[in-house]
Structure formats: structure tokens, C-alpha cells
Amino acid sequence: MKNLKAFEARRAGLLFVAAMAIVAVLFHSAAYAEGGLVKIADGVYSYVDAKGGLPANSFGANAGIIVGRDSIAVVDTLISAKLARRFVSDIRAVSDKPIRYVINTHSHLDHTFGNSELAKTGAILISSENCRINMKKNSEAVLKNTAAYGLTAQDMEGTAIAYPTVMFPDRMSLDLGDMRVELISVAESHTDDSLIVYVPGAKTLFAGDILFTGYHPYLADGDIPAWGKSLDAIKAMDVEKIIPGHGPVSTKKDLDDMKSYLTLFDAKARELAAKTNNADVILDGLKKALPARPEGAMLIMGNIKGKYLRH
Ligand SMILES: [Zn+2]
């Protein structure tokens, strides 16, 4: 029963992503980050605030780098070999230091499917234990089925799964030479395999998909109460700039907004789902309660189908 539920939820998730892809194609045509990586702080660069959530543009996911005296650490690898190759050339426009570490903030395809291209630079792939486990379980099947996510064969040409080879349970530090990087496991939250990347010297944090700013978040794989606690924990950190998984450079206020959104969504969705199993009725109720953001109907519907309907 649990497996069936999980299967149904996964199927709903796939349908949601496909629907989201169609919406993305309808509403966005601009490519993003053509200007390359944006300097966020000394030694920290990232793609941020993608213009357009096209699947082939990683659904607008951010990815970035931390540059120390001796080497570079990369945070997330985008959705395809093609984008990862462009990422490497954008990295080379910033620095010619060796790319020594590649960190996956979590296992979702828009953050990991460029891994094999980054691995070609000789970098070591790092993630949480659960991220590797989830990738081993899901990534090959997802790669075979990328059409369901709105991705064409051309988009995915040359893309191969590459798994993290260094994992850690709770916390790990990297020294890039005059630049310390802290990897902190934050499960459960957006997924059970998420981590954040903290650069204390720059008071900057890569939050992965624990933070969506200005987007309706994908929350169907999430643990909402634990996610709220994770947002509180990040708020207590000595951080000024936060790079979200999707959206513009953010601040602690955006953490509060994210928590309020999640709490409101979960309470309202549960309340509505207790009365009806009609997804359209639940969607109507949620749309009235939630802040207006792009592509609301489709994104909210995906979360309803993936998490709140009785199957
Ligand atoms: Zn994600």
C-alpha cells in the first residue's frame, strides 16, 4: 500500500513536472544567465534569478562556485551535459584555478545531471549519504524518462549520471586555501538528502532548494515541519547573502517568507483535503490563500497531487 502510494505520488509528480514544462514553454522564451556567473561576494559567484524556467534551462535552478587561493568548489551542476559544459566555460571566465570539489545540494535532476561533465575536470563529487542513495535509486530511470519532464533528446545529448564518491553524515569542511567552506546536512527538509553550503568568510550561503524565492516551491518530497525548523536554523547563522535553489540573491527575510508559505500551504491543503479529494477544489482554495507568484496553478497542483490527495 505504501509502495503503491509512493508510486502514485511519483506518477503525479511526473505529470506535474510535464505540465510545468508545458507552462514554462508557454510563458518563457528567454534563455538565462547568458551573461555568465554573477559575483555575489569575494570568491563567491553564481547563476542567480534565471530568466525563464524552461526545463532545458534547469527549471531556472541556480548553480555557483567558491574560489579560494588554491582551488575551486562547485555547487550543483544543472540539468544536462550541455549546460554543465557552458557552466565550466563560465567558471573559466572567472578563474583558471583547479576545480577540486563538486557539491550536490540534493539529488533532484536540475542539480545533479551535469555531474559527469564537471567530473571530467578531475573534481571529486561530494554529497550527503542520502543524496547518493537516492541518485542510485532514481537517477538512471529519470534520465531514461526525461521527456516526461519536458526535456528533448537534444537537450540531454551526452548527459550521463555520475554519482558522488565522497559522502558525509552531518558536516564536512573544505579548505580551498584562505577560503573555508562548510557543508551541513539539512535533512529532512525539501528532500531527505539536502545539504547547505556555507562560506563563513563571505557570510554567504548556498541554500539549495531549501529556499525558493519568488517561485512556488516544489514541496511534494518535503517534510514541512522539519523544513520550517531548518529555515529557522539557517536564520540563526551568521549569513548576509543567501543563494536560493531558484530565484534571486536572498536575505533572511526570504527565509521567513518561505516558512510562512510552507506553513500556510500545508495547513490549508490538509484542511481542504480533509473535506474533498477533488484536486481542482483544493487548488481553488489554495490559490485564494497563497501569495500570487508565476505559474501558480500548475505548481500548486503538482504539490497537491504529489502530497495531499488520497489515492
Ligand atoms: Zn529540488
Side-chain angles (χ1 to χ4, degrees):
M1 183 62 196
K2 201 166 177 248
N3 283 343
L4 181 67
K5 235 182 130 182
F7 172 76
E8 291 287 344
R10 192 160 296 283
R11 199 180 58 162
L14 282 176
L15 290 173
F16 149 65
V17 173
M20 190 165 75
I22 292 162
V23 168
V25 170
L26 286 175
F27 286 91
H28 298 287
S29 55
Y32 84 99
E34 290 298 338
L37 294 164
V38 176
K39 183 171 181 179
I40 310 298
D42 283 345
V44 182
Y45 301 79
S46 186
Y47 296 124
V48 278
D49 201 14
K51 295 288 177 281
L54 282 169
N57 270 341
S58 304
F59 298 104
N62 296 325
I65 57 170
I66 304 140
V67 185
R69 186 192 59 218
D70 303 330
S71 64
I72 297 173
V74 170
V75 183
D76 284 339
T77 62
L78 306 173
I79 207 165
S80 64
K82 200 175 281 183
L83 290 196
R85 281 196 292 272
R86 194 196 63 199
F87 187 19
V88 172
S89 86
D90 285 341
I91 293 169
R92 286 299 167 227
V94 171
S95 170
D96 59 2
K97 289 181 178 154
I99 300 172
R100 194 155 289 157
Y101 309 105
V102 173
I103 302 151
N104 290 137
T105 60
H106 62 297
S107 61
H108 286 159
L109 74 167
D110 46 340
H111 300 260
T112 57
F113 276 19
N115 277 6
S116 64
E117 287 300 317
L118 268 301
K120 284 179 189 169
T121 67
I124 295 166
L125 303 183
I126 304 174
S127 77
S128 70
E129 288 280 3
N130 273 358
C131 178
R132 180 185 156 92
I133 290 168
N134 288 338
M135 284 186 71
K136 285 271 179 185
K137 221 188 294 175
N138 304 321
S139 293
E140 287 292 352
V142 171
L143 181 60
K144 284 197 185 85
N145 195 30
T146 46
Y149 294 81
L151 293 152
T152 66
Q154 206 187 356
D155 294 332
M156 301 311 288
E157 203 182 339
T159 303
I161 303 300
Y163 298 102
T165 53
V166 172
M167 288 72 68
F168 64 98
D170 298 311
R171 202 171 175 122
M172 175 190 258
S173 303
L174 305 175
D175 182 357
L176 309 180
D178 288 341
M179 185 63 103
R180 200 174 171 81
V181 180
E182 307 280 347
L183 314 185
I184 305 162
S185 173
V186 191
E188 308 268 336
S189 56
H190 169 69
T191 54
D192 67 358
D193 60 16
S194 293
L195 63 82
I196 54 175
V197 180
Y198 179 39
V199 190
K203 297 194 181 195
T204 299
L205 180 83
F206 288 86
D209 281 0
I210 290 166
L211 180 63
F212 286 67
T213 299
Y215 285 79
H216 290 286
Y218 177 60
L219 54 79
D221 292 339
D223 175 327
I224 306 293
W227 195 340
K229 283 184 196 148
S230 300
L231 288 162
D232 287 341
I234 294 172
K235 206 180 158 190
M237 293 171 72
D238 186 15
V239 164
E240 285 167 4
K241 289 176 181 163
I242 305 171
I243 298 157
H246 301 250
V249 181
S250 302
T251 64
K252 288 186 175 179
K253 183 187 176 299
D254 297 300
L255 299 171
D256 287 337
D257 290 349
M258 180 78 184
K259 188 179 175 187
S260 304
Y261 179 107
L262 291 172
T263 309
L264 176 64
F265 191 109
D266 194 50
K268 197 77 194 166
R270 282 175 195 284
E271 178 194 316
L272 293 161
K275 290 182 205 148
T276 176
N277 205 39
N278 181 326
D280 291 319
V281 174
I282 299 173
L283 174 65
D284 275 348
L286 279 170
K287 268 167 54 184
K288 281 181 197 130
L290 292 169
R293 289 178 181 177
E295 293 114 41
M298 284 301 157
L299 291 170
I300 296 166
M301 186 60 108
N303 287 326
I304 294 168
K305 290 188 172 169
K307 197 172 176 69
Y308 296 95
L309 287 188
R310 298 183 296 279
H311 295 286

